[in-house]
Amino acid sequence: MVPRSKARQIRTAKLRSAGVASRGATPTRDANRGEAQPIRIGGLARRIAYLSFAVALAFGAQWLLTDPLFQVARVEVRGARYLSQSTVIQAASVVGTNILRVSTAATRARVMSTGVPEDVLVDLVLPNTVTIVVDERPAAFLWKSGPSTYAVSDDGTVLGVAATDHPAVMVVDVDARPVDVGKPVDVRLLREAAYVMQTIPTAAAFSPGSVDLSATLGVSVVTTDGITVAIGDDTDLPGKLEALGPTLFAARQSRPLPTTIDLRFAGHPVFR
């Protein structure tokens, strides 16, 4: 028989041993598996959510790029005076295109290629409208060919049929050669015409209404009493116009009244 005191010591030792084993125990594999399971389920749920979002995004993009609602059906043109709306719309070439595929830079370049605008602004308005604002070059000259009078910019570009602009210099092409809107005419002739219009009132005391251009005489003007003054090209233009005053005075003293004063050969003015 174990003494009572010895029995108490044995029980105390067993209790301590059980406590140590409980505190230092390593989790079992089954316990670890039970704890990791929620993490794996959460990761799968996130993957499913991402995949669903990607599918929805792809479907939405496909819808935006193919739905007729977003095909350009209307083009608003603002600011154009010389270019017609139909010309701008045709040059822009966006009608029927999905608005999300329209490049504003490329559209601007196509409208600028008409030669008339100084600048172009393109704006996209959902779901299907494109707005084009055209800032055209100002007219510096008028060019008359046949029955039509065209506005021409300072660099010689033909802008279109003249509307409300009234430049001081008009060149009349007596030979009525065709001109193309957006294409240049000879800017050197325009500069000569402007100089003639500015200088003749001082040099010869009359103001021509226009400057004529022909293959035969080159640049010429007509006096108030009907005498044609042939100037030719711009060679020694100041010298030619300086001789016009005294030559015109002498011509008006002659009888019959001459019909032409020829200044084309600098230093040798003649009238006939």
Side-chain angles (χ1 to χ4, degrees), residues 9-259:
Q9 291 176 0
I10 291 171
R11 286 196 298 270
T12 302
K14 288 182 177 180
L15 290 173
R16 290 176 178 173
S17 177
V20 169
S22 175
R23 289 191 301 270
T26 302
T28 65
R29 183 177 297 178
D30 292 341
N32 287 339
R33 184 179 300 168
E35 293 175 1
Q37 188 67 20
I39 297 176
R40 291 183 180 179
I41 293 174
L44 180 59
R46 284 194 295 273
R47 291 189 185 98
I48 293 174
Y50 293 154
L51 181 60
S52 300
F53 177 74
V55 170
L57 186 62
F59 178 80
Q62 180 69 13
W63 173 71
L64 288 173
L65 294 174
T66 58
D67 194 285
L69 175 65
F70 297 99
Q71 290 181 350
V72 176
R74 182 182 180 190
V75 179
E76 295 182 355
V77 180
R78 302 174 185 170
R81 292 179 298 159
Y82 302 113
L83 287 175
S84 65
Q85 290 201 2
S86 61
T87 299
V88 175
I89 293 172
Q90 183 177 2
S93 188
V94 294
V95 175
T97 304
N98 185 282
I99 196 168
L100 301 179
R101 297 182 185 273
V102 173
S103 166
T104 56
T107 303
R108 175 185 181 276
R110 287 193 294 270
V111 178
M112 287 289 293
S113 70
T114 61
V116 175
E118 191 169 50
D119 195 12
V120 173
L121 175 65
V122 179
D123 190 23
L124 308 180
V125 182
L126 292 175
N128 57 7
T129 300
V130 175
T131 300
I132 301 176
V133 181
V134 180
D135 182 14
E136 294 176 334
R137 308 181 193 201
F141 306 96
L142 294 177
W143 185 283
K144 184 176 175 59
S145 180
S148 300
T149 301
Y150 298 91
V152 179
S153 67
D154 185 66
D155 65 353
T157 301
V158 179
L159 302 176
V161 176
T164 58
D165 294 286
H166 301 286
V169 179
M170 174 184 281
V171 176
V172 178
D173 185 356
V174 177
D175 300 328
R177 288 164 289 191
V179 297
D180 296 319
V181 173
K183 304 298 182 182
V185 293
D186 191 341
V187 71
R188 187 171 172 177
L189 290 173
L190 296 173
R191 300 280 186 268
E192 180 181 357
Y195 183 83
V196 167
M197 294 281 287
Q198 181 181 3
T199 306
I200 281 184
T202 302
F206 75 94
S207 298
S210 63
V211 173
D212 293 340
L213 174 65
S214 68
T216 303
L217 299 179
V219 168
S220 63
V221 296
V222 179
T223 67
T224 52
D225 48 355
I227 301 175
T228 298
V229 180
I231 301 170
D233 60 24
D234 58 358
T235 302
D236 193 18
L237 194 55
K240 291 177 180 178
L241 296 183
E242 184 179 357
L244 175 57
T247 304
L248 180 59
F249 177 81
R252 284 172 172 165
Q253 307 309 309
S254 300
R255 293 294 180 270
L257 188 69
T259 59

